Amino acid sequence: NDTATTEIYTSLFVGSVDVYKRQALGLAQKAGVARAAVDLGLHDSQLYDWRHTATLRRSQSDVEQSQATEIARLERLLAEQA
């Protein structure tokens, strides 16, 4: 087994899992969690867990974006004072 090949297959698998989860969450939003779970052959709790994880990731991303914006502002302020 070639390590590079394994990494490629792993990234493809992880990427496709993320796409599936996003699509499943989109269906849950449109049709409701219970209906989506039945349609996809999943437990309701799985969709709720994916939704919770996605919300946490978005929140973390929002915080990181705010921090990046503040850092850029402070760097500009420092540059003006130099």
Side-chain angles (χ1 to χ4, degrees), residues 4 10 12 26 30 33 36 51 55 58 76-77 79-80 82:
T10 301
L12 288 173
K30 291 177 186 174
V33 171
R51 185 169 65 184
T55 301
R58 276 193 302 273
R76 282 192 305 274
L77 187 61
E80 289 172 3

Side-chain angles (χ1 to χ4, degrees), residues 13-76:
F13 175 74
V14 170
S16 63
V17 168
D18 288 342
V19 169
Y20 176 77
K21 287 179 181 180
R22 282 194 304 273
Q23 290 174 341
L25 291 174
L27 178 61
Q29 186 174 7
K30 291 177 186 174
V33 171
R35 179 78 246 162
V38 169
D39 290 350
L40 297 170
L42 300 170
H43 292 280
D44 295 9
S45 60
Q46 185 66 60
L47 288 172
Y48 286 120
D49 182 56
W50 289 350
R51 185 169 65 184
H52 176 72
T53 301
T55 301
L56 290 177
R57 284 185 181 157
R58 276 193 302 273
S59 294
Q60 183 178 6
S61 178
D62 291 345
V63 167
E64 290 169 356
Q65 181 59 42
S66 275
Q67 289 173 341
T69 301
E70 180 64 6
I71 289 169
R73 185 188 72 78
L74 292 172
E75 286 174 342
R76 282 192 305 274

Side-chain angles (χ1 to χ4, degrees), residues 1-12:
N1 264 336
D2 181 341
T3 303
T5 303
T6 302
E7 288 176 9
I8 290 169
Y9 283 120
T10 301
S11 68
L12 288 173

